[in-house]
Amino acid sequence: MSKKFTTDSGIEIQRVYTLADKPVEEPGKFPFTRGIHSEMYRSKLWTMRQYAGFSTAEESNKRYHYLLSQGVTGLSVAFDLPTQIGYDSDHELAEGEVGKVGVAIDSLEDIETLFKGIRLEDVTTSMTINSTAFILLAFYIALAKKQNADLKKISGTVQNDILKEYAARGTYIYPPKPSMKIITDIFEYCNNEVPKWNTISISGYHIREAGSTAVQEIAFTLSNGKAYCQAAIKKGLDINQFGQRLSFFFNAHNNFFEEIAKFRAARRMWAQMTKELGATDVRAQMLRFHTQTGGSTLTAQQPKNNITRVTLQALAAVLGGTQSLHTNGYDEALSLPTEEAAKIALRTQQIIANESGVVDTVDPLAGSYFIETLTDQLEEAAWKYIKRIDEMGGSVEAIEQGYMQTEIASASYKYQGAVERKEKIIVGVNQFTEQENSKTDLLRINDSIRKVQSEKLSKLKAVRNNESVKECLRKIKETSSNGNNIMPLVIEAVENYATLGEIAGTLREVYGEYHG
């Protein structure tokens, strides 16, 4: 017998609601406006993640065990800047950045420490990494093999979205075309060897963080997704297979109803896009997405106000039908989140899930004249952008011409002007301000982390088989030059304890660096 859902007054809650005079669109069916699953949260809640990673692998491992003990249902790894752009901690360009905005990972040894005491078959792991995604995925697969895990069972996501790096964020290494080749290598490898792994998280989050509007976030993200699909199809891959492992990563901002409508419109648009690209399997037409509350909306002034902002944003993501959610700590405008802030952020999700009642019916706001109209309007405006990008030749060409970057910069400038003119009120910043008296405890990262990591690297290189490493790197260089799939060789290299910097540097010699 299925579970009965009621309000606190005992009124039975239906699975789904419709307007009698409006055509019925069922959740779980094309075009998925109302959700990709017929039961949504009635049968399974979203995955509750807390994005975490700082200092050394040892310190981050402690935070992961703490978060797991507090009820997170999936891990989400933040990497430091040198790791993101392919430099080992002992590289001169890494100075001042090691362990600061995420965890420092230089080798398989660090990954072994990062997940010490955690069975990879028992968790899903999301890794926010792009230009070096293929190396971090190789580390993860190598560790899974050392744990004797079944690679057919391990699951998670690697962000692996390089196009938004060129458009909005900047942690790219190689030029667009070879970067796209590496991404499709990951698609191909995982399709055969790690079938439950989500091979890309096509990110609107960073596009929005750079200053885009909600419409631009949808349009540029889906356009990038289309480019990845086209590249994979050109490589000979079947969209009905690789399309099932594509996922998306969206932002949740403060304009409550617009954000809900944004998620609904994006689902409907992606279903249509993939169908036009040849997807016939409904699972390849579904837009599955992770949401993170808006980092750029957090204020350093009156930081505890951010708890309210994050609550509104998280609720919008849930009402919009997210599959996975990270809630920001209230102190993140000042530092990486403290343990207390991370716990409050997680509790926010748990309260929404268990106390609000919004999970008891599918797509609760469907049928609202406002929501339905706003969904249509967002979709119409986003299609106009996509049409313009298609006319340029697609996302890669639009990025190379600076189109997306210019549009985002223009939107950001317009928004900031509205804040400065007080046309847009930010509580505690340009209205309802006060003299700041209270101090917020912050998480401080010690500058000695680089020394610690450099010493570990020195010891590793002294005990590993350096001749095997050289041979592995030679084979990667040769294979990357002839166009074959590099993933098996990268995995072999990391199993021989080649470092992230050595592998990334080998490909720098082949592809060069991109200077946009």
Side-chain angles (χ1 to χ4, degrees):
M1 183 177 177
S2 61
K3 182 179 176 182
K4 186 176 181 179
F5 294 84
T6 65
T7 68
D8 289 345
S9 302
I11 299 169
E12 186 169 355
I13 300 170
Q14 298 176 33
R15 180 183 69 85
V16 67
Y17 291 81
T18 61
L19 287 175
D21 59 348
K22 190 177 175 73
V24 175
E25 185 182 302
E26 277 289 313
K29 294 184 179 179
F30 186 92
F32 312 107
T33 312
R34 306 192 62 185
I36 62 171
H37 302 301
S38 62
E39 294 289 324
M40 287 301 290
Y41 309 133
R42 288 164 66 99
S43 61
K44 182 183 179 183
L45 291 173
W46 62 91
T47 300
M48 298 184 190
R49 299 187 186 278
Q50 285 306 120
Y51 186 45
F54 59 93
S55 186
T56 61
E58 289 87 352
E59 289 300 312
S60 292
N61 176 261
K62 292 176 186 176
R63 176 64 66 87
Y64 294 159
H65 280 285
Y66 170 77
L67 290 170
L68 288 166
S69 75
Q70 294 300 307
V72 299
T73 51
L75 297 176
S76 188
V77 185
F79 298 97
D80 72 357
L81 190 58
T83 303
Q84 292 180 49
I85 57 176
Y87 292 118
D88 288 334
S89 296
D90 59 0
H91 194 283
E92 60 183 3
L93 293 179
E95 187 170 355
E97 294 293 343
V98 177
K100 290 295 177 70
V101 299
V103 62
I105 298 295
D106 295 319
S107 71
L108 176 58
E109 185 177 67
D110 286 329
I111 287 288
E112 291 167 352
T113 303
L114 186 67
F115 292 101
K116 186 176 180 181
I118 300 170
R119 288 282 304 167
L120 300 191
E121 276 192 22
D122 298 336
V123 297
T124 65
T125 303
S126 174
M127 296 191 282
T128 304
I129 194 76
N130 296 284
S131 58
T132 54
F134 67 106
I135 304 172
L136 270 301
L137 178 58
F139 285 149
Y140 196 86
I141 290 170
L143 176 59
K145 290 167 71 175
K146 289 193 76 170
Q147 291 185 353
N148 294 316
D150 183 349
L151 295 187
K152 306 291 184 187
K153 293 181 180 177
I154 67 165
S155 62
T157 304
V158 66
Q159 191 165 101
N160 195 29
D161 175 7
I162 203 64
L163 291 179
K164 66 94 176 46
E165 295 295 326
Y166 302 117
R169 191 162 175 267
T171 65
Y172 46 75
I173 303 174
Y174 316 113
K177 288 183 174 62
S179 292
M180 291 290 280
K181 189 265 179 191
I182 294 172
I183 286 168
T184 55
D185 280 358
I186 293 173
F187 286 5
E188 183 179 52
Y189 177 83
C190 289
N191 186 60
N192 295 326
E193 305 296 333
V194 198
K196 292 183 69 176
W197 192 266
N198 297 323
T199 52
I200 193 168
S201 178
I202 304 158
S203 176
Y205 183 85
H206 302 97
I207 290 170
R208 192 68 176 278
E209 289 292 284
S212 80
T213 64
V215 169
Q216 290 170 339
E217 182 185 356
I218 302 172
F220 298 164
T221 305
L222 298 189
S223 186
N224 288 348
K226 183 177 181 179
Y228 291 125
C229 287
Q230 289 170 329
I233 290 167
K234 188 176 180 181
K235 193 181 179 76
L237 303 181
D238 181 0
I239 191 171
N240 286 306
Q241 289 186 321
F242 75 78
Q244 297 181 38
R245 303 322 308 171
L246 304 181
S247 65
F248 287 80
F249 175 23
F250 286 118
N251 211 312
H253 268 226
N254 289 329
N255 195 308
F256 188 68
F257 293 108
E258 182 176 55
E259 293 301 295
I260 295 166
K262 178 188 76 178
F263 299 130
R264 299 173 89 248
R267 259 195 307 272
R268 189 159 69 198
M269 292 173 71
W270 185 245
Q272 185 62 41
M273 263 190 180
T274 50
K275 188 175 182 179
E276 290 174 359
L277 288 167
T280 54
D281 190 317
V282 292
R283 291 169 297 180
Q285 298 168 342
M286 294 177 178
L287 186 148
R288 298 167 299 118
F289 68 99
H290 169 71
T291 308
Q292 180 172 336
T293 55
S296 63
T297 70
L298 304 180
T299 64
Q301 302 91 332
Q302 301 175 31
K304 289 189 178 176
N305 291 348
N306 294 327
I307 297 173
T308 305
R309 292 186 178 101
V310 167
T311 302
L312 283 169
Q313 295 164 8
L315 185 57
V318 170
L319 291 170
T322 194
Q323 277 63 66
S324 170
L325 179 61
H326 163 88
T327 33
N328 288 332
Y330 67 82
D331 54 2
E332 287 190 53
L334 298 164
S335 73
L336 291 170
T338 58
E339 196 169 276
E340 178 198 29
K343 181 167 71 174
I344 291 172
L346 176 60
R347 294 290 183 256
T348 299
Q349 294 197 51
Q350 292 167 335
I351 289 168
I352 291 172
N354 295 290
E355 298 184 28
S356 71
V358 299
V359 302
D360 293 345
T361 187
V362 178
D363 196 18
L365 295 183
S368 157
Y369 295 119
F370 181 37
I371 285 292
E372 297 295 354
T373 301
L374 201 51
T375 301
D376 293 343
Q377 290 171 329
L378 281 161
E379 179 180 5
E380 182 181 3
W383 279 125
K384 288 179 181 177
Y385 268 114
I386 291 170
K387 183 180 178 183
R388 260 176 262 165
I389 292 167
D390 285 345
E391 288 169 351
M392 292 179 188
S395 278
V396 175
E397 287 75 10
I399 289 166
E400 290 178 339
Q401 293 176 39
Y403 173 71
M404 289 188 192
Q405 298 93 312
T406 300
E407 290 295 310
I408 293 168
S410 177
S412 179
Y413 180 80
K414 184 177 179 181
Y415 178 86
Q416 186 59 33
V419 171
E420 292 176 4
R421 292 188 299 272
K422 293 191 176 182
E423 296 167 5
K424 178 74 176 176
I425 300 302
I426 308 297
V427 175
V429 176
N430 64 357
Q431 192 73 278
F432 313 112
T433 58
E434 59 185 38
Q435 186 69 36
E436 298 284 336
N437 295 316
S438 61
K439 288 187 177 181
T440 302
D441 292 331
L442 303 179
L443 178 63
R444 305 286 187 187
I445 305 300
N446 196 308
D447 285 329
S448 66
I449 299 301
R450 182 169 183 251
K451 183 173 183 291
V452 171
Q453 285 296 114
S454 297
E455 289 174 354
K456 284 165 62 178
L457 277 166
S458 181
K459 290 177 182 176
L460 174 67
K461 290 176 181 179
V463 298
R464 72 183 185 182
N465 187 327
N466 287 297
E467 288 304 312
S468 294
V469 170
K470 285 180 183 177
E471 177 59 16
C472 288
L473 296 175
R474 185 196 66 77
K475 288 193 288 187
I476 289 172
K477 188 172 185 178
E478 179 183 326
T479 299
S480 61
S481 301
N482 65 28
N484 291 330
N485 195 312
I486 64 170
M487 280 304 296
L489 295 176
V490 174
I491 293 169
E492 181 185 4
V494 304
E495 287 176 328
N496 280 277
Y497 291 89
T499 70
L500 174 135
E502 289 170 334
I503 296 168
T506 297
L507 293 186
R508 276 185 168 96
E509 295 175 17
V510 179
Y511 299 138
E513 293 190 28
Y514 182 70
H515 302 284

